[in-house]
Amino acid sequence: QKEVEQNSGPLSVPEGAIASLNCTYSDRGSQSFFWYRQYSGKSPELIMSIYSNGDKEDGRFTAQLNKASQYVSLLIRDSQPSDSATYLCAVNTNAGKSTFGDGTTLTVKP
Amino acid sequence: SQTIHQWPATLVQPVGSPLSLECTVEGTSNPNLYWYRQAAGRGLQLLFYSVGIGQISSEVPQNLSASRPQDRQFILSSKKLLLSDSGFYLCAWSLTGHTDTQYFGPGTRLTVL
């Protein structure tokens, strides 16, 4: 079992829809959780970080964390074509190191 | 504000040649520094991380090495490149602390022929 697993994708949604990206992790001691967006050929950029159970909202993005279920998700409301990218889930299992999932590629169709 | 630089941006090298990739961070002191490699269509594989000058931890045994000669400089090296070393190399930094949010440089795309 991988330490961090994401939807295999690709995920395709129409413009204006809600995109839902999911991530599960294996280490119950994990404390910090991150979502990065990576455009093709570019480096990852941080979208959201979440540290406690529940929801965290930032504009059109909402991160959800459930430590009991070892599950973290990212919702993108009112999806735009510019949201088309690969989304990477990262989990900090030890201070100073992150483990990344393989990413889910999202395509938003106009 | 903090800035992270990597160079070169792209590199094409023959098998068996040496490698040196450089990463520098501006605007912060004593950052944690990381080297990752990303194969096509895959996630990030942590290669090395450093919590201070001369302190390097290796995550994956291979023909690569890393050094941190200065507080904000991180170098990735190889004496002899393999075909399997091709990929997108990313340097990242974070501040010491429980959140450890990492911020990435622009990356170096390495092709070994």
Side-chain angles (χ1 to χ4, degrees):
Chain A
Q1 181 189 6
K2 289 184 179 179
E3 292 182 59
V4 178
E5 294 203 52
Q6 298 185 236
N7 309 48
S8 57
L11 176 65
S12 181
V13 300
E15 184 174 356
I18 295 176
S20 177
L21 304 164
N22 302 314
C23 175
T24 58
Y25 59 95
S26 60
D27 189 334
R28 286 193 172 274
S30 301
Q31 297 182 4
S32 307
F33 307 85
F34 307 90
W35 283 100
Y36 289 85
R37 177 176 62 199
Q38 186 176 25
Y39 292 115
S40 180
K42 302 296 184 182
S43 63
E45 55 180 325
L46 181 71
I47 297 177
M48 295 279 288
S49 57
I50 187 166
Y51 310 108
S52 54
N53 282 329
D55 295 359
K56 179 181 178 182
E57 187 175 319
D58 183 1
R60 297 186 295 111
F61 298 95
T62 300
Q64 300 174 317
L65 175 61
N66 184 326
K67 289 186 177 180
S69 301
Q70 296 173 246
Y71 173 90
V72 59
S73 66
L74 179 70
L75 299 178
I76 307 175
R77 292 182 300 281
D78 188 24
S79 296
Q80 301 298 308
S82 59
D83 295 326
S84 298
T86 296
Y87 290 81
L88 299 170
C89 172
V91 176
N92 277 22
T93 52
N94 295 298
K97 293 196 294 179
S98 291
T99 300
F100 284 79
D102 285 344
T104 299
T105 298
L106 171 67
T107 300
V108 181
K109 296 187 175 181
Chain B
S1 64
Q2 297 85 4
T3 308
I4 180 168
H5 303 279
Q6 284 187 247
W7 63 89
T10 61
L11 193 58
V12 180
Q13 292 285 95
V15 170
S17 64
L19 173 74
S20 180
L21 303 180
E22 189 165 343
C23 169
T24 58
V25 180
E26 296 177 355
T28 186
S29 296
N30 196 30
N32 295 329
L33 296 173
Y34 311 82
W35 278 112
Y36 290 89
R37 178 171 59 200
Q38 186 177 35
R42 301 300 302 276
L44 277 63
Q45 178 188 33
L46 179 63
L47 301 176
F48 301 94
Y49 73 97
S50 171
V51 298
I53 296 174
Q55 301 177 63
I56 310 292
S57 295
S58 174
E59 291 296 301
V60 182
Q62 55 204 328
N63 67 321
L64 300 173
S65 62
S67 62
R68 185 170 177 174
Q70 300 180 41
D71 180 43
R72 290 170 287 178
Q73 184 185 30
F74 207 20
I75 297 172
L76 182 69
S77 304
S78 175
K79 293 182 179 178
K80 288 186 177 182
L81 284 169
L82 307 173
L83 286 173
S84 58
D85 291 324
S86 293
F88 192 36
Y89 286 81
L90 292 156
C91 181
W93 70 273
S94 71
L95 292 176
T96 302
H98 74 283
T99 60
D100 293 311
T101 303
Q102 295 183 28
Y103 301 92
F104 288 86
T108 295
R109 190 161 304 280
L110 172 66
T111 303
V112 182
L113 302 175

